[in-house]
Amino acid sequence: MTALDLSSPVAVVGTGTMGQGIAQVALVAGHPVRLYDAAPGRAREAADAIGARLDRLVEKDRLTGAGRDAARARLTAAETLDGLAGCALVVEAVVERLDVKQELFRALEDVVGDDCLLATNTSSLSVTAVGGALRVPGRFVGLHFFNPAPLLPLVEVVSGFATDAASATRAYETARAWGKTPVNCADTPGFLVNRIARPFYAEALAVYEDRGADPATVDAVLRESGGFRMGAFELTDLIGQDVNESVTHSVWQAFFQDVRFTPSLAQRRLVESGRLGRKSGQGWYDYRDGAGRPEPHTAGPAEAPAYVVVEGDLGPAAELVALIREAGVEVRPEGGPGEGRIVLPGGGTLCLTDGEPPVSEDLVHFDLALDYRAATRIALSASRRVRPGLLSEATGLFQALGKKVSVIGDVPGMIVARTVARIIDLAFDAVAKGVAAPEDVDTAMRLGVNYPLGPFAWSRRLGDTWAYYLLADLHEWEPSGRCAPSLALHRHVKAAEYRESNRS
């Protein structure tokens, strides 16, 4: 089954921002496009708006004048649903209500042929449920574009329970022919991106609710140490707190209130107060005229230690040894097996967070970094009774490496580490349940939410067992089940350990 022929008309129902974007994508790809909206005159207005965007593409040399004129000639506004007769594909982008979408598609079946592919752009409803009311449900599929559709490459091609494989393949190939990067996934709450991305927001909110760090500090650590494009608090302000909370609540309810997806009370209070983010002028941050941006916590200057002793293997933080030497700090290695640690001259120990809080007065944890050489900030965590001077030594060491240092509370798993571990876990769980292939998961998370690495690439970089044991430790300290490693990750780790034992 191949992509739709470019001569095949494509219809878009619903002409809001997303509907206009999808129509523009199909139009620029070369299809005749018909727009329909239940509100009188709205389709015509949308056609004019798309025409204006085509003009801007010409101004930016992304489209020729002849290409614009040809595209405009292929774009029409339908006054009624009957005007969509003969279309080969209809994509729906109307309000997120199951009854509205079902009624629309039942009406469309009376207009289009049985060979017409029907697609919903829903981000929160079940594709199976939307298509369940259809006479020919096998030709129904999810085509979930990301906003803005003309710019973002990812399209989730979602197969409902009744979707024919041929229909999913045709939708996939058509999206690819439109210049998009499609990924296949089964009909599951949140599909791929909105399911696997929940911990990015949830762990930041958990750190905040536990008074481990303020939003500005959490965001700075996620960006400057974790390598994420934006921090969780600034991203939810951009998305809209009401929108982000609604998606979280929808996924949580759809998974029968699975504790792993529990919404945040802090975010609920923010929404109740009307602080919805950029669009309302206030969210976690203040966007009103003249408002200042809060600065992340950054430790003051501290003296670097003259030397450190490195014991064991530092694992994901192994590059620190070379960085310490390059900074002019003497490294006195001590061989031997065991978990890696850095011993400071005062006798205190510096370790990569392992999912437990730093309860000892002689211990400081540092957070995970995507790339310790490139990272510009490192978070440190210590117990409230940490020995005087130890935090200063640890701070001075990382400052000698050219890093800003943020000291947070004694949070198990800190910020980046617990976030990445939970994302990895949900990815393994999704693949084990047949939602998608690992390569599609990685593609979706890189392109859909701009993660620096996909979950499986992250797992390979950090080691097969890293996420599992960090989550197991977290679960011991927070035994609600929210951070408990999944059966899928457990099986993966045991298989990896079995392979390793056979090699030794």
Side-chain angles (χ1 to χ4, degrees):
M1 186 66 70
T2 57
L4 293 176
D5 188 89
L6 288 181
S7 63
S8 302
V10 172
V12 177
V13 179
T15 57
T17 301
M18 182 58 80
Q20 290 182 33
I22 295 169
Q24 181 181 327
V25 170
L27 191 64
V28 172
H31 288 272
V33 174
R34 303 176 195 172
L35 298 172
Y36 173 75
D37 197 291
R42 192 71 61 80
R44 182 69 263 163
E45 292 173 5
D48 291 341
I50 292 171
R53 282 204 289 271
L54 295 178
D55 289 339
R56 289 195 290 274
L57 291 179
V58 173
E59 292 169 3
K60 296 176 180 178
D61 292 326
R62 296 178 183 172
L63 186 67
T64 65
R68 173 197 57 197
D69 295 342
R72 279 180 166 169
R74 295 193 302 271
L75 180 62
T76 58
E79 297 299 326
T80 66
L81 273 184
D82 290 341
L84 308 185
C87 284
L89 166 64
V90 180
V91 183
E92 163 273 316
V94 302
V95 64
E96 287 285 88
R97 278 181 47 189
L98 179 61
D99 59 336
V100 173
K101 292 180 188 289
Q102 287 180 328
E103 182 179 352
L104 169 64
F105 282 111
R106 278 195 294 261
L108 279 169
E109 279 198 307
D110 293 334
V111 172
V112 300
D114 285 356
D115 60 344
C116 175
L117 190 63
L118 299 179
T120 175
N121 184 61
T122 184
S123 61
S124 61
L125 299 176
S126 162
V127 170
T128 300
V130 176
L134 296 183
R135 177 172 48 81
V136 187
R139 42 89 169 264
F140 188 74
V141 66
L143 271 179
H144 182 218
F145 289 77
F146 288 75
N147 196 24
L151 296 180
L152 294 185
L154 184 69
V155 177
E156 293 176 320
V157 180
V158 186
S159 292
F161 189 77
T163 302
D164 292 335
S167 298
T169 300
R170 170 150 284 185
Y172 182 97
E173 293 299 335
T174 297
R176 187 162 67 171
W178 291 357
K180 296 301 179 182
T181 304
V183 294
N184 283 311
C185 69
D187 185 20
T188 184
F191 308 143
L192 281 182
V193 172
N194 280 330
R195 172 178 176 157
I196 296 172
R198 294 347 292 163
F200 181 71
Y201 314 109
E203 296 313 306
L205 287 161
V207 171
Y208 169 77
E209 289 177 327
D210 288 342
R211 303 180 69 83
D214 60 277
T217 300
V218 172
D219 281 353
V221 172
L222 286 169
R223 288 193 315 270
E224 300 173 42
S225 184
F228 291 95
R229 185 78 57 87
M230 297 179 74
F233 293 99
E234 57 188 343
L235 181 54
T236 53
D237 268 357
L238 178 64
I239 294 168
Q241 296 300 330
D242 52 341
V243 174
N244 184 260
E245 193 216 20
S246 177
V247 172
T248 299
H249 197 271
S250 173
V251 172
W252 175 62
Q253 290 284 22
F255 275 113
F256 307 104
Q257 300 186 357
D258 186 328
V259 68
R260 295 176 301 167
F261 302 101
T262 301
S264 161
L265 181 59
Q267 188 175 41
R268 175 91 289 262
R269 293 292 179 257
L270 200 69
V271 172
E272 289 173 340
S273 73
R275 297 188 175 194
L276 306 182
R278 289 180 180 269
K279 62 185 177 183
S280 70
Q282 284 181 286
W284 293 110
Y285 300 105
D286 193 338
Y287 301 94
R288 294 171 297 180
D289 291 343
R293 182 70 178 258
E295 292 294 326
H297 173 271
T298 302
E303 186 177 350
Y307 71 91
V308 297
V309 177
V310 176
E311 299 180 351
D313 182 1
L314 296 181
E319 191 174 20
L320 284 176
V321 177
L323 295 178
I324 293 170
R325 286 197 175 102
E326 291 168 17
V329 177
E330 181 188 355
V331 176
R332 301 177 182 177
E334 287 196 3
E339 295 182 4
R341 62 178 189 161
I342 298 170
V343 181
L344 298 168
T349 300
L350 191 56
C351 293
L352 175 62
T353 182
D354 58 1
E356 297 185 6
V359 294
S360 168
E361 63 180 11
D362 294 320
L363 177 64
V364 174
H365 280 169
F366 62 91
D367 206 352
L368 180 69
L370 172 69
D371 179 340
Y372 283 98
R373 184 173 292 276
T376 58
R377 183 178 298 270
I378 295 292
L380 299 180
S381 175
S383 76
R384 293 175 177 84
R385 58 190 187 89
V386 65
R387 184 159 47 79
L390 178 52
L391 257 178
S392 179
E393 275 191 304
T395 298
L397 176 63
F398 280 106
Q399 287 176 343
L401 309 187
K403 317 298 182 187
K404 296 176 182 177
V405 174
S406 291
V407 179
I408 69 171
D410 54 346
V411 178
M414 299 189 69
I415 297 171
V416 179
R418 68 190 289 165
T419 299
V420 170
R422 287 209 60 218
I423 289 170
I424 289 171
D425 183 62
L426 288 190
F428 272 93
D429 183 57
V431 169
K433 288 179 167 58
V435 174
E439 57 271 21
D440 278 348
V441 170
D442 275 5
T443 297
M445 302 315 291
R446 284 189 299 102
L447 299 184
V449 277
N450 287 313
Y451 284 3
L453 289 176
F456 291 95
W458 232 320
S459 180
R460 289 190 294 272
R461 174 181 287 202
L462 296 170
D464 285 322
T465 65
W466 178 85
Y468 174 83
Y469 284 110
L470 186 138
L471 291 174
D473 285 344
L474 262 176
H475 178 57
E476 280 193 27
W477 288 90
E478 300 179 16
S480 65
R482 193 176 69 84
C483 296
S486 65
L487 178 59
L489 190 59
H490 178 87
R491 286 171 171 160
H492 171 75
V493 167
K494 294 307 172 187
E497 291 177 339
Y498 177 76
R499 290 192 301 270
E500 185 62 30
S501 67
N502 281 347
R503 278 197 289 265
S504 57

